Amino acid sequence: MTDSHEIVAVRGARRWDSRGRPTVEVEIRTPVGVGRAIAPAGASTGTGEAVDLRDGGPGFGGMDVATAVRNVDTVIAKALLGRRVDDQAGIDTALESVDGTSSFASIGGNAAVATSMAAAHAAAAVEGVPLWRHLNPDARQLPLPEIQIFGGGAHAHGRIDLQDLMVVPYGASSFAEAVDWAVEIHRAGGRWLDDRGRLAGVADEGGWWPAFDSNVQALDALVAAIEGAGLVPGDQVGISIDVASTQLVTAEGYSLASEGRVLDRDDWRAELLTWLSKYPIASIEDPFAEDDPAGMQSITTAVGERVQVVGDDFLVTDAKRVRAAADDRSVNSVLIKPNQAGTLTRAKAAFDAAAAEGLGAIVSARSGETEDVTIAHLAVGWGSGGFKVGSVTRSERTAKWNEMMRIEEELGASGRFAGRAGLGPWLR
Ligand code: 2PG
Ligand code: MG
């Protein structure tokens, strides 16, 4: 007799992401449960990430995923059929063996992560519980959201150098209230731009695409937006920026193209420290490039007890890199993106390494997303302090916020909003 946990079907399909690019969906069936997941995709990717398999050629800008989908239907299905769907580690190891590279370059990181997440959903479905509860029945914490107000960098054709200008509403009393506040801030930010004729559109993650003259003007506008929403910057709501500075590196140094300035490492550090002292910035991500650990270390040493310093491209959700960064004290928090790792097991190992080393963690979406809400469940099930999804517009973003609000309602009185503690243990 077939076991209710036995994988009886694995199927890939091409779907569309929020940038109009093809992506991989995987569906996994057991006799009693179905799990489905869709791979996200980054734009500002770190070189150490799992690699998405794209077909090249003339169609869809070379971004098609026919080969990755075929891999799901053939080699991946063959490796997984008959396995227990609740053996996440075994499934993820099987994906690694089928692939044979460290970066999933052969089967595709997109095929791997969608398969790994689909298996988790199928296992939860067999048990008849939500994924977060399957991951940890005792989970209680709702994470602190980082919510984008203005988008820039690689997500807005470099109109401004900073990639993500976000808010962390740590003074809110619940996750839902934190989103309420962000919506008002987003509205006030839009009004600020509109009044000055500086509203250029919407960036990739749903934040306003502003026509600012400088990065500092963007920070001024963000402070004004928080105040415009009737909230107190630094007291109720902090600013969070993702510099994504690997994108800024040129042969001459860190280039602020929107301001026509190139800074060497010392001047760049001084510039960042000025921003961090003048503005209520609670969190800064990738302030130095992925290959500049000394830069990361220098800023963490300077501000690490009052500002969350996050490694994204710098750590690419890799447990080994997380442990090395903890030894160097080059970050105090880690961004966790399942598709950078390629499997949930690897992503969880990076998350666990952060926790074991006393670092904070933020489960994060990518700039290319879909209706898939897996990360909301991972954030709660794993006990993440932070949760980064993008802005409060566009359904691929609101799908995640809305799912988190459902989880908060399900937890009811037993739920606990992380608030300021979501910024990680260094900042208590
Ligand atoms: C990041 C993410 C999300 P991308 O850099 O943190 O903002 O962007 O998915 O393009 O890497
Ligand atoms: Mg980033």
Side-chain angles (χ1 to χ4, degrees):
M1 212 179 87
T2 322
D3 186 282
S4 59
H5 284 92
E6 184 181 329
I7 297 177
V8 295
V10 178
R11 197 177 68 86
R14 186 178 76 197
R15 302 290 179 235
W16 297 101
D17 78 7
S18 53
R19 276 192 280 247
R21 294 177 184 166
T23 185
V24 180
E25 177 176 274
V26 173
E27 191 176 278
I28 292 186
R29 288 181 178 272
T30 79
V32 299
V34 185
R36 190 179 296 123
I38 314 177
S44 61
T45 50
T47 45
E49 293 191 19
V51 187
D52 283 348
L53 191 57
R54 305 278 182 184
D55 296 340
F60 310 129
M63 308 289 274
D64 210 351
V65 292
T67 314
V69 168
R70 202 166 41 247
N71 287 344
V72 175
D73 290 339
T74 56
V75 286
I76 292 176
K78 190 166 164 230
L80 300 193
L81 288 174
R83 282 179 180 274
R84 275 185 72 93
V85 78
D86 55 351
D87 178 15
Q88 186 78 45
I91 288 168
D92 291 343
T93 306
L95 290 170
E96 288 171 355
S97 322
V98 171
D99 182 81
T101 74
S102 60
S103 60
F104 291 104
S106 148
I107 59 171
N110 39 6
V113 79
T115 304
S116 183
M117 297 194 302
H121 282 288
V126 170
E127 289 169 30
V129 296
L131 177 55
W132 69 265
R133 205 185 281 278
H134 165 70
L135 296 168
N136 179 7
D138 299 323
R140 293 287 173 265
Q141 179 171 271
L142 285 311
L144 173 68
E146 288 193 316
I147 305 180
Q148 189 191 65
I149 306 299
F150 306 127
H155 302 164
H157 283 275
R159 185 60 185 77
I160 186 98
D161 305 290
L162 292 172
Q163 180 181 281
D164 296 320
L165 287 124
M166 301 169 285
V167 289
V168 275
Y170 43 61
S173 57
S174 66
F175 184 87
E177 187 178 45
V179 177
D180 288 357
W181 289 7
V183 168
E184 296 290 13
I185 296 164
H186 177 262
R187 192 187 306 280
R191 229 175 11 239
W192 192 97
L193 293 170
D194 207 13
D195 289 350
R196 290 160 181 77
R198 287 178 178 276
L199 194 50
V202 172
D204 278 7
E205 296 188 17
W208 302 113
W209 176 335
F212 289 130
D213 297 327
S214 69
N215 293 284
V216 159
Q217 189 182 40
L219 292 166
D220 286 332
L222 193 46
V223 169
I226 296 170
E227 289 169 345
L231 295 158
V232 184
D235 180 18
Q236 294 169 293
V237 180
I239 289 176
S240 169
I241 55 178
D242 181 2
V243 186
S245 66
T246 304
Q247 306 283 319
L248 308 182
V249 174
T250 64
E252 287 74 43
Y254 287 92
S255 166
L256 298 180
S258 72
E259 302 176 19
R261 294 196 290 154
V262 184
L263 286 72
D264 68 22
R265 202 220 261 138
D266 288 347
D267 289 346
W268 175 234
R269 179 174 185 270
E271 180 84 17
L272 290 170
L273 290 176
T274 304
W275 295 351
L276 290 169
S277 68
K278 275 201 182 151
Y279 294 91
I281 297 173
S283 179
I284 186 165
E285 182 179 324
D286 284 350
F288 286 85
E290 61 181 2
D291 57 355
D292 193 351
M296 292 293 289
Q297 194 181 38
S298 76
I299 202 129
T300 305
T301 304
V303 301
E305 274 165 22
R306 62 178 182 87
V307 178
Q308 176 176 249
V309 182
V310 186
D312 170 17
D313 296 350
F314 181 62
L315 301 176
V316 289
T317 315
D318 177 76
K320 231 176 21 219
R321 291 188 196 217
V322 170
R323 280 190 287 270
D327 285 348
D328 294 350
R329 297 175 80 77
S330 51
V331 300
N332 61 20
S333 187
V334 181
L335 210 71
I336 300 290
K337 292 168 164 173
N339 83 323
Q340 281 183 329
T343 65
L344 289 188
T345 302
R346 284 188 182 183
K348 179 65 162 38
F351 182 93
D352 289 344
E357 299 287 353
L359 305 175
I362 304 161
V363 169
S364 172
R366 300 308 304 249
S367 48
E369 274 290 341
T370 67
E371 66 274 24
D372 186 287
V373 295
T374 308
I375 54 164
H377 291 265
L378 301 180
V380 175
W382 290 352
S384 182
F387 185 44
K388 179 185 177 191
V389 165
S391 195
V392 287
T393 71
R394 302 185 27 155
S395 300
E396 81 279 4
R397 311 291 150 189
T398 55
K400 279 85 163 163
W401 304 133
N402 290 342
E403 186 74 354
M404 191 60 83
M405 285 158 58
R406 288 184 202 104
I407 298 173
E408 182 165 61
E409 287 158 16
E410 206 180 328
L411 279 167
S414 68
R416 200 166 28 83
F417 176 54
R420 197 182 286 268
L423 294 170
W426 284 39
L427 272 69
R428 296 290 160 77

